[in-house]
Amino acid sequence: MDQIGIGAIGCGGIAGGHLPAYRELEGIETVAVCDIDEQAARGRAEEFDVPAVYSDWRELLADERVDAVSVLLPHHLHRDVAVAAAEAGKHVLTEKPMATSLGETDDMIAAAEAAGVVLMVGQILRFRPANIKARELIRDGAIGEVRNILRRRLGKSGEFRSKWARKPEEAGGWVLYGFGAHEVDMILWLSDGEAETVYAQARVNNQYWNDYDEITVQMSLVDGPIATYQHSLNTPFGAWECMVIGTEDAMLVDSGQIRFADYVVEAPLDSPASWRAQVGEFARAIREGDEPEASGWNVRKTMAALEAAKLSIRDGVAIDASAL
Ligand SMILES: NC(=O)c1ccc[n+]([C@@H]2O[C@H](COP(=O)([O-])OP(=O)(O)OC[C@H]3O[C@@H](n4cnc5c(N)ncnc54)[C@H](O)[C@@H]3O)[C@@H](O)[C@H]2O)c1
């Protein structure tokens, strides 16, 4: 395929990450956009010089110029659109969270496999320099064998522009699926791990979110390490970091820097470059018929851990994620 035609479904905030990245890359072009809000779709079409504008994603999927889609929609829509796209023979890059349940995740994987199309999830943190470097160092044994991972994301979250974020039936759990899809994925990706037992607790603090906004997830991973993810939307002091503790040393990873032993490794965040790397990986996998980084299959591990955390919060017991 010389030129890959992209259809962007959803023209809200995150379209501002995908569309500029597609524009920058050779051999890939956004040929159609879609949003139920016609003004939003027309706005993005003008901004990025896109010829076709739709308000119904089914019409976009019927457009023969579209080879692949970016699914940039509220969480509860990811499954249906990704499955229909695969059935229409289109390759799929869906934003995180892949879906809002493991059942939906499996439907998406099955549809992509049946159609022989690429299914990738927008786990953008896997394309950030500090995380890439940290993973390389961990794999090279810089801290020995990983035994414990402590990850936390704390901040004060004010109003959010989109109403669906405050509807649990659409967001699927604003913190657990909206943010946790990044954070749990990083825990598993940095350590090449997979969740075994998961115990999670959650509280509603600020009524604004109509949902849990204080969450702690404890996991034991296959082959031994333990991991904890803590999240609050209600702290006046921010923190976003990951301490990976090994048998030889420990490593602190934040957005632009890694610290371990006597080393400080600078890996500054370059957000546009990360977006380009992500869509570039999608294009590479399409061209080479290869499994991409953050393939649907691979991200299933994250979705299983999130499913287990959701069940644990609901039932107040530890869940065996490896059986899901
Ligand atoms: N990777 C990241 O760091 C990151 C950051 C923000 C958001 N996201 C993800 O991106 C996705 C979209 O989030 P957002 O912030 O762009 O949300 P948003 O609310 O800004 O945009 C969503 C768009 O989808 C449109 N839409 C809703 N229903 C539709 C339908 N049936 N058909 C067509 N269009 C429809 C809305 O009109 C809106 O324009 C979510 O999965 C979110 O978690 C990822």
Side-chain angles (χ1 to χ4, degrees):
M1 190 184 291
D2 291 340
Q3 189 77 3
I4 300 172
I6 296 289
I9 306 179
C11 291
I14 211 60
H18 288 237
L19 293 175
Y22 284 128
R23 183 171 56 187
E24 294 288 311
L25 293 185
E26 298 271 326
I28 193 158
E29 186 189 358
T30 305
V31 294
V33 291
C34 168
D35 201 294
I36 202 166
D37 172 348
E38 277 191 41
Q39 218 181 332
R42 294 212 173 280
R44 289 297 190 189
E46 272 170 34
E47 191 182 351
F48 293 95
D49 210 10
V50 179
V53 182
Y54 299 100
S55 55
D56 183 336
W57 52 264
R58 291 167 194 85
E59 286 177 18
L60 180 143
L61 292 182
D63 187 328
E64 287 185 354
R65 288 167 292 185
V66 174
D67 303 304
V69 293
S70 266
V71 180
L72 313 171
L73 295 168
H75 305 165
H76 67 303
L77 300 172
H78 292 187
R79 182 249 174 229
D80 286 358
V81 176
V83 166
E87 286 171 355
K90 318 289 185 189
H91 302 282
V92 178
L93 168 59
T94 182
E95 258 307 331
K96 45 54 63 179
M98 184 171 170
T100 54
S101 73
L102 197 56
E104 292 177 352
T105 302
D106 286 338
D107 291 345
M108 293 160 78
I109 293 169
E113 280 188 351
V117 296
V118 170
L119 173 61
M120 179 174 169
V121 185
Q123 301 292 162
I124 191 69
L125 298 189
R126 297 191 188 194
F127 296 92
R128 288 192 170 184
N131 297 329
I132 293 169
K133 186 72 195 160
R135 187 170 189 245
E136 264 172 35
L137 288 164
I138 292 166
R139 284 181 151 196
D140 286 349
I143 57 169
E145 252 180 63
V146 176
R147 306 310 299 153
N148 191 8
I149 303 168
L150 303 170
R151 191 169 179 94
R152 60 179 187 151
R153 188 162 178 177
L154 312 175
K156 185 93 182 159
S157 194
E159 287 188 14
F160 192 71
R161 61 179 186 283
S162 302
K163 289 201 180 81
W164 61 266
R166 297 172 57 202
K167 296 182 186 164
E169 66 281 12
E170 297 192 6
W174 180 235
V175 172
L176 193 62
Y177 280 86
F179 294 97
H182 280 313
E183 306 308 321
V184 169
D185 188 69
M186 267 300 103
I187 288 174
L188 301 180
W189 186 75
L190 283 173
S191 62
D192 283 320
E194 196 168 335
E196 198 162 54
T197 308
V198 178
Y199 181 65
Q201 290 181 297
R203 297 286 183 270
V204 173
N205 188 351
N206 180 352
Q207 301 292 335
Y208 172 80
W209 295 105
N210 301 312
D211 205 347
Y212 299 121
D213 51 353
E214 309 283 349
I215 288 192
T216 297
V217 180
Q218 278 178 267
M219 301 189 279
S220 61
L221 308 186
V222 174
D223 295 333
I226 52 173
T228 308
Y229 157 47
Q230 297 176 316
H231 204 127
S232 173
L233 298 185
N234 303 296
T235 66
F237 316 105
W240 188 18
E241 62 194 17
C242 190
M243 181 75 81
V244 188
I245 303 156
T247 48
E248 313 280 324
D249 205 338
M251 177 182 288
L252 182 63
V253 189
D254 67 26
S255 303
Q257 199 185 63
I258 301 156
R259 281 197 280 154
F260 71 104
D262 296 330
Y263 300 96
V264 176
V265 181
E266 301 291 347
L269 174 62
D270 177 347
S271 211
S274 297
W275 288 109
R276 285 196 298 274
Q278 180 174 273
V279 302
E281 172 63 0
F282 184 42
R284 184 200 65 76
I286 292 170
R287 286 214 173 82
E288 296 178 11
D290 194 14
E291 183 179 353
E293 177 65 78
S295 70
W297 252 121
N298 184 276
V299 174
R300 190 186 187 279
K301 293 178 197 165
T302 299
M303 299 309 296
L306 292 175
E307 181 90 1
K310 179 169 65 181
L311 296 175
S312 179
I313 291 167
R314 188 192 68 186
D315 297 344
V317 296
I319 302 291
D320 181 0
S322 60
L324 295 175

